[in-house]
Amino acid sequence: LSGERLQSMDRVPVWTSGTMKDLDIPDAFRSWFDRCLKIDARERYENGVEAADAFAELVRKTEKASLEKQLDSYRRDVDPISDYEPIEWISKKPYRIYKAKREDDDLFVKSWPERVLGERRKSAARLIEFFAKANALRRIDADWLPRTDVACLCTDGLLLVQQWIEGERLSECRTSDWSPDALRRFVGALVDAVDELHKLDLTHGDLSPKNIIVSLDGAVPRPILVDVVDFTNDEEGTRTPAYCP
């Protein structure tokens, strides 16, 4: 651990608690090392299996504490309904989705109540993944992606606030009315958007016509990817097999 020789007693190396004094080892593990290396064999773990089980339990507790500590940095004293008052409801259950307005900005608000998030011990890693993806997307300046303003643990669960995108879902558009040039430019822009997302080591996971908003740039339709950041307790994540097998 330290690269230095242990103190010896009658030419026998002896482990003491002071051996780890200046080492970067979590306190929880120090007692485990102490017990494993007791000079009196009767004070050690009975066998390797017992020692391994004890170590695994320490790892589990330490990992849980580490995840909870990371999540603390995302907690905000924000109440979705009062801080982002709804002006148009899209969905109220199982999570809330609505349009809000703040100053001159129209906003898309998605709020997962605490009960939807599930047991925090099980959802912690997925929440960390959610925030990491939101932070990565926040750094992207792209016209195919809505701006992300807020991603946090709020007073009522999980909150995501993004720029409101005007337009129709691709699933509801009559693309047969588009000119060949408009269709070609739209598909090219969509391919470029997905390619750029993948170059950032990010994936959508639920990329389908209902998650592509058609926004008009003059008379030219262009794609905007929505629901790139989403939360689910499903171990397989969110997928649309017809488009993302």
Side-chain angles (χ1 to χ4, degrees):
L1 291 172
S2 65
E4 298 179 2
R5 287 183 176 276
L6 295 175
Q7 296 179 3
S8 61
M9 181 183 299
D10 294 330
R11 301 174 66 181
V12 176
V14 177
W15 175 274
T16 66
S17 298
T19 305
M20 293 189 294
K21 182 178 180 181
D22 298 319
L23 300 182
D24 185 20
I25 295 176
D27 291 339
F29 290 93
R30 293 175 181 264
S31 60
W32 183 87
F33 280 103
D34 284 346
R35 183 172 175 183
C36 284
L37 297 167
K38 288 284 189 182
I39 195 168
D40 187 342
R42 293 170 297 181
E43 297 180 16
R44 302 174 198 155
Y45 289 104
E46 189 170 327
N47 51 52
V49 173
E50 185 182 358
D53 288 344
F55 188 84
E57 179 65 13
L58 287 172
V59 169
R60 186 188 66 78
K61 290 180 178 179
T62 304
E63 182 180 33
K64 178 184 176 183
S66 175
L67 289 173
E68 290 176 350
K69 187 175 181 180
Q70 289 182 61
L71 287 176
D72 282 342
S73 65
Y74 294 105
R75 298 185 191 281
R76 302 288 184 273
D77 185 18
V78 176
D79 183 283
I81 299 299
S82 61
D83 290 313
Y84 298 94
E85 187 176 352
I87 61 173
E88 179 184 334
W89 281 97
I90 299 171
S91 173
K92 292 187 177 182
K93 290 183 178 180
Y95 35 75
R96 297 183 290 257
I97 304 176
Y98 59 88
K99 182 179 182 180
K101 194 174 187 69
R102 209 171 195 190
E103 298 178 351
D104 295 327
D105 281 341
D106 289 332
L107 301 171
F108 170 88
V109 180
K110 192 168 185 178
S111 170
W112 294 261
E114 192 69 42
R115 66 179 182 278
V116 175
L117 300 183
E119 189 179 350
R120 186 55 49 87
R121 177 179 61 83
K122 296 181 179 179
S123 65
R126 289 196 176 275
L127 286 169
I128 293 295
E129 182 181 354
F130 173 92
F131 291 126
K133 192 171 188 179
N135 288 339
L137 294 175
R138 191 176 286 160
R139 294 191 290 268
I140 302 174
D141 183 17
D143 60 4
W144 48 266
L145 188 71
R147 182 190 71 247
T148 298
D149 290 346
V150 178
C152 70
L153 288 171
C154 61
T155 57
D156 188 33
L158 179 63
L159 176 65
L160 177 68
V161 180
Q162 294 181 309
Q163 171 190 7
W164 178 269
I165 301 298
E166 291 291 349
E168 285 186 290
R169 295 180 185 273
L170 181 58
S171 57
E172 300 168 359
C173 282
R174 295 181 59 182
T175 55
S176 58
D177 293 341
W178 294 2
S179 69
D181 181 62
L183 186 59
R184 183 168 53 252
R185 292 172 68 175
F186 183 88
V187 172
L190 179 58
V191 170
D192 288 343
V194 174
D195 188 46
E196 187 173 345
L197 190 66
H198 290 175
K199 284 179 179 178
L200 295 166
D201 291 329
L202 298 172
T203 59
H204 190 296
D206 192 18
L207 186 59
S208 65
K210 70 181 179 64
N211 283 330
I212 300 172
I213 299 294
V214 178
S215 180
L216 293 178
D217 189 359
V220 179
R222 63 182 179 87
I224 299 180
L225 309 186
V226 297
D227 257 7
V228 181
V229 185
D230 202 4
F231 176 83
T232 176
N233 272 321
D234 188 341
E235 291 185 4
E236 298 298 322
T238 303
R239 295 287 185 276
T240 305
Y243 304 95
C244 300

